[in-house]
């Protein structure tokens, strides 16, 4: 079984030690995962800091099974960090975009050029490019539609499939497009299946963010390990 959506690093006020998180994932019997570092959302973070976390992980866990994603944010453009440079340093296995945490401006030519380089890279190397989706227009499933249209060999994945109707609309238009089940309700998963897109669904947990929210908003007091065991039960659909 594969978890297409795992995080390591700093998330708000909690630091999730990267190798500890991957150890929990492996011990739960998950054979492969995609992971990215939420430390990317820290103010003033540098790629070097993130690379240290990923290197720690790849020393212990093969990047062919526990697969790191390059979380690319627009500020890297200003820093001169290109996708080729980033991949030359670290055995990344895909790309992550998070238009809620890091806004992309499709009217800014630098942003556009950069997005073409990212999707183009994923297209050539047939890599996953996981995109956060949500309720606001700048994170809708159709926000990056022009790139789905142009780069059909990029394995674009709509994380969270939100809003559901807009995600389904994209599935209909772009046969290569997938969605992950992270924080998708059982009801919405069923709707996607009923609409004929079961094969587009990739299992994803968003662990350990599930633990963070469960504790903070659900008053849950369980271990990370227990939380993850609950998370992967949702993979059976
Ligand atoms: Zn996530």
């Amino acid at each position: 079984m594969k978890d297409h959506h795992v995080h390591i690093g700093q998330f708000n006020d909690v630091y999730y030690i990267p190798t500890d998180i991957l150890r929990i994932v492996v011990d739960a019997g998950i054979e492969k995962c995609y992971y990215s570092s939420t430390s990317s959302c820290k103010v003033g973070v540098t790629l070097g800091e993130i690379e240290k976390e990923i290197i720690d992980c790849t020393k212990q866990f093969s990047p062919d099974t526990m697969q790191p994603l390059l979380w690319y944010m627009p500020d890297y453009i200003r820093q001169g960090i290109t996708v080729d440079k980033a991949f030359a340093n670290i055995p990344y296995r895909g790309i992550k975009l998070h238009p809620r945490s890091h806004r992309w401006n499709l009217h800014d030519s630098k942003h556009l050029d950069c997005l073409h380089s990212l999707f183009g890279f994923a297209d050539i190397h047939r890599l996953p490019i996981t995109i956060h989706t949500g309720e606001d227009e700048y994170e809708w499933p159709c926000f990056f539609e022009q790139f789905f249209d142009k780069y059909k060999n990029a394995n674009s994945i709509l994380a969270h499939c939100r809003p559901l109707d807009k995600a389904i609309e994209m599935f209909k238009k772009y046969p290569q497009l997938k969605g992950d089940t992270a924080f998708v309700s059982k009801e919405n998963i069923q709707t996607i299946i009923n609409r004929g897109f079961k094969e587009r669904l990739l299992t994803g947990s968003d662990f350990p963010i599930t633990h963070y929210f469960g504790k903070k908003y659900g008053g849950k007091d369980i271990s990370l390990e227990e939380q993850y065991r609950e998370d992967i039960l949702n993979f059976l659909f």
Side-chain angles (χ1 to χ4, degrees):
M1 210 151 36
K2 179 162 181 174
D3 189 342
H4 296 78
H5 195 147
V6 171
H7 291 299
I8 57 165
Q10 193 74 39
F11 185 73
N12 294 341
D13 53 330
V14 180
Y15 189 76
Y16 295 101
I17 299 168
T19 49
D20 287 3
I21 293 298
L22 295 188
R23 172 52 55 204
I24 291 169
V25 170
V26 169
D27 286 352
I30 295 294
E31 289 133 359
K32 283 188 167 190
C33 87
Y34 290 146
Y35 66 94
S36 60
S37 176
T38 42
S39 302
S40 308
C41 299
K42 259 180 18 181
V43 177
V45 73
T46 62
L47 181 60
E49 239 177 280
I50 310 286
E51 287 179 333
K52 266 184 74 184
E53 294 177 330
I54 307 273
I55 289 166
D56 276 352
C57 291
T58 56
K59 276 185 195 155
Q60 277 186 48
F61 303 93
S62 163
D64 292 325
T65 50
M66 300 291 116
Q67 302 174 291
L69 304 181
L70 166 66
W71 183 317
Y72 196 97
M73 59 178 108
D75 195 56
Y76 287 161
I77 303 170
R78 189 185 55 78
Q79 297 177 42
I81 298 162
T82 63
V83 62
D84 297 87
K85 274 191 204 167
F87 271 75
N89 279 346
I90 299 288
Y92 287 118
R93 294 291 187 263
I95 296 165
K96 161 103 178 175
L97 300 176
H98 202 296
R100 168 164 283 275
S101 302
H102 307 104
R103 301 285 160 85
W104 289 89
N105 178 358
L106 300 179
H107 303 289
D108 178 324
S109 64
K110 287 200 176 102
H111 282 213
L112 266 184
D113 288 350
C114 176
L115 287 167
H116 279 292
S117 74
L118 293 168
F119 278 90
F121 189 91
D123 189 76
I124 291 167
H125 300 284
R126 294 174 185 262
L127 295 174
I129 179 155
T130 298
I131 304 157
H132 166 91
T133 62
E135 298 298 330
D136 289 308
E137 203 173 337
Y138 54 78
E139 53 179 356
W140 279 354
C142 55
F143 188 79
F144 295 109
E145 181 173 358
Q146 57 178 301
F147 304 100
F148 305 151
D149 195 38
K150 183 162 180 180
Y151 301 104
K152 294 204 162 61
N153 292 323
N155 298 320
S156 300
I157 302 166
L158 302 172
H160 315 303
C161 301
R162 263 199 313 257
L164 185 66
D165 56 329
K166 292 189 187 300
I168 289 176
E169 203 184 301
M170 288 295 103
F171 290 153
K172 270 189 206 153
K173 280 179 94 168
Y174 302 100
Q176 84 274 19
L177 204 57
K178 302 273 200 312
D180 81 26
T181 60
F183 285 117
V184 182
S185 67
K186 280 196 161 51
E187 197 188 350
N188 284 359
I189 289 177
Q190 200 50 52
T191 303
I192 294 169
I193 293 171
N194 294 346
R195 298 290 288 276
F197 296 110
K198 185 176 184 186
E199 78 286 357
R200 308 290 189 88
L201 280 178
L202 302 175
T203 45
S205 66
D206 223 334
F207 179 73
I209 311 308
T210 45
H211 186 267
Y212 184 91
F213 285 136
K215 192 170 178 185
K216 192 163 175 118
Y217 302 112
K220 249 169 133 180
D221 186 22
I222 59 173
S223 67
L224 283 164
E225 287 84 352
E226 282 171 285
Q227 179 63 54
Y228 193 57
R229 279 196 291 273
E230 279 185 21
D231 291 344
I232 60 177
L233 283 178
N234 295 327
F235 288 5
L236 308 167
F237 54 80

